[in-house]
Amino acid sequence: VRDVYQGLKEKHCVWTDKPIVHDFAVDHVIPFVLWKNNDLWNLLPTLPAVNNEKRDRLPTQRALRFGKDRIVAYWNNVQQRHTQRFNREAEAFCGGLDLGNWENRLFSGLAEAVEITAVQRGVGRWEPENTAVFVAIPARPIASPVLYPMAQGRAMFMTDAGQAKVKHGPTRPTDPIGHACAECDYASIADRAFQEYLPVVAALAAGEPFDGFEIGDLDWARQCPWVGVPQTLAREKRFVIKVVGDSMAPVLKTGDMVVFEYHRSPRMDNQVVIANLTAFGLESSGRTCGAVKRLTQDAEAWIFRSDNLAYQDIRVEKAECQYPILGIMVAVLKPEGA
């Protein structure tokens, strides 16, 4: 890969966009010490000083977005020179590639892998200075007010069998699906993890999106607090989040404990999901952006909606990321004794 980059007449540091005039370093986007990975897509040219500064840290999502055009351009150069190897490694990494849009698929997979690794391994993040100046967060379109089913007196929630059920009457289900007990640490419930207890992985709703986790990795989940849930709700790949905003009110209120199941692909229209917003280059901005949303779609875009009509829709192009979600809502827990 060094020979490929050495042969380019002109090249720029992938992370800073500064021209490389003389020597350059080949950086592992996901550090070798973490993945032991020398796949061609993971190796990109940088200035030696920048490579030394980054060291074994992972790039932030902002750094990845800032470098996306250069990353894709370098991938194309390497792919042209080492087609079979590059395609084989990229397909193994992404689980298959669409030849008509492989660059976006591979970039989305890289961005997601960086987030998962950062969370699971507790790795520090890095970005070059002034990245914030260069990267503009895409503007969110202003949507007309929309009435959603939950605001029309119909409450939708998931049954234990994972099927959608609609109730007429109050906009918030009045009968709890399960009760949650007080939080405890993993050591005290280790033999009942994912059988009677689930990890509380984050506080979500109108707060900072929590992107890139993969529930089911017990080595990571044992670091979380755990709560007791009905056995019908406890299973692997399920987890609990705590609602901290009002974007999904009145269905989900601040302080609610909600069970989600890890999924990356939608199962049905209008489900309540955890939006994979960071993969789309969207970040939290006060009250206007939350990770728990109701998902629908049209031919070109995923549309994340809030049940609280004070919030705007978030519309993101499907080409930006194949996997728009990180989880599907299963049940709202009611505090023990309530």
Side-chain angles (χ1 to χ4, degrees):
V1 75
R2 172 173 282 277
D3 289 342
V4 174
Y5 298 144
Q6 187 69 56
L8 298 178
K9 293 182 179 180
E10 181 179 325
K11 51 186 170 284
H12 288 73
C13 174
V14 68
W15 301 123
T16 65
D17 198 29
K18 293 180 179 179
I20 297 175
V21 179
H22 300 295
D23 193 21
F24 66 93
V26 176
D27 177 51
H28 289 75
V29 180
I30 299 176
F32 185 80
V33 70
L34 299 177
W35 274 30
K36 305 295 189 291
N37 183 292
N38 279 320
D39 287 357
L40 299 181
W41 54 262
N42 196 37
L43 302 172
L44 297 167
T46 67
L47 290 166
V50 173
N51 184 56
N52 186 57
E53 180 185 320
K54 177 175 175 286
R55 289 184 175 272
D56 294 331
R57 290 182 288 177
L58 288 162
T60 64
Q61 288 293 316
R62 186 160 55 187
L64 285 169
R65 291 197 302 275
F66 177 54
K68 180 178 180 180
D69 289 345
R70 292 179 296 282
I71 291 171
V72 170
Y74 286 130
W75 281 346
N76 274 281
N77 279 289
V78 176
Q79 197 260 2
Q80 290 172 15
R81 285 278 301 277
H82 302 286
T83 304
Q84 290 186 345
R85 177 180 171 181
F86 186 93
N87 289 349
R88 181 177 67 252
E89 292 173 346
E91 288 175 358
F93 175 60
C94 291
L97 288 180
D98 177 1
L99 295 180
N101 189 35
W102 68 264
E103 295 95 335
N104 280 327
R105 175 73 185 276
L106 183 56
F107 184 82
S108 296
L110 173 62
E112 185 174 21
V114 165
E115 292 305 306
I116 291 173
T117 305
V119 171
Q120 291 181 343
R121 303 289 294 273
V123 181
R125 307 303 292 272
W126 172 89
E127 63 183 32
E129 293 182 4
N130 298 325
T131 302
V133 177
F134 297 130
V135 178
I137 303 302
R140 303 185 185 94
I142 298 176
S144 301
V146 178
L147 291 178
Y148 311 116
M150 298 302 295
Q152 296 173 344
R154 300 169 64 236
M156 178 178 290
F157 58 96
M158 300 301 293
T159 67
D160 292 344
Q163 299 174 329
K165 181 178 180 181
V166 176
K167 292 180 56 179
H168 293 271
T171 58
R172 176 179 173 82
T174 55
D175 52 330
I177 301 176
H179 289 75
C181 66
E183 294 183 6
C184 53
D185 60 25
Y186 172 76
S188 63
I189 55 88
D191 58 339
R192 291 172 288 170
F194 297 110
Q195 299 176 25
E196 299 175 20
Y197 290 80
L198 292 176
V200 182
V201 303
L204 296 177
E208 196 70 25
F210 185 77
D211 183 26
F213 55 81
E214 169 107 44
I215 289 302
D217 182 345
L218 197 57
D219 287 338
W220 173 75
R222 61 168 52 115
Q223 301 173 28
C224 302
W226 292 67
V227 294
V229 300
Q231 291 186 359
T232 54
L233 296 180
R235 65 183 65 168
E236 290 187 1
K237 291 186 177 292
R238 287 191 176 176
F239 54 93
V240 176
I241 65 101
K242 187 179 297 184
V243 175
V244 294
D246 64 351
S247 69
M248 291 299 291
V251 180
L252 300 178
K253 297 180 179 179
T254 296
D256 279 349
M257 304 283 280
V258 186
V259 177
F260 279 81
E261 185 164 311
Y262 178 80
H263 285 287
R264 296 199 300 169
S265 301
R267 292 297 185 266
M268 65 179 69
D269 191 52
N270 215 36
Q271 278 186 309
V272 175
V273 301
I274 296 177
N276 193 10
L277 297 182
T278 307
F280 298 113
L282 301 177
E283 294 182 345
S284 176
S285 178
R287 298 176 64 254
T288 61
C289 177
V292 178
K293 296 290 181 184
R294 195 174 294 279
L295 177 66
T296 186
Q297 61 181 296
D298 57 27
E300 290 80 29
W302 306 109
I303 303 168
F304 295 98
R305 289 176 171 164
S306 302
D307 285 349
N308 183 340
L309 299 183
Y311 292 82
Q312 301 172 4
D313 289 356
I314 299 175
R315 180 184 175 90
V316 292
E317 299 302 316
K318 290 181 177 179
E320 291 295 317
C321 184
Q322 182 179 7
Y323 302 111
I325 66 172
L326 294 170
I328 293 172
M329 189 176 83
V330 176
V332 179
L333 296 171
K334 194 169 184 177
E336 191 174 36

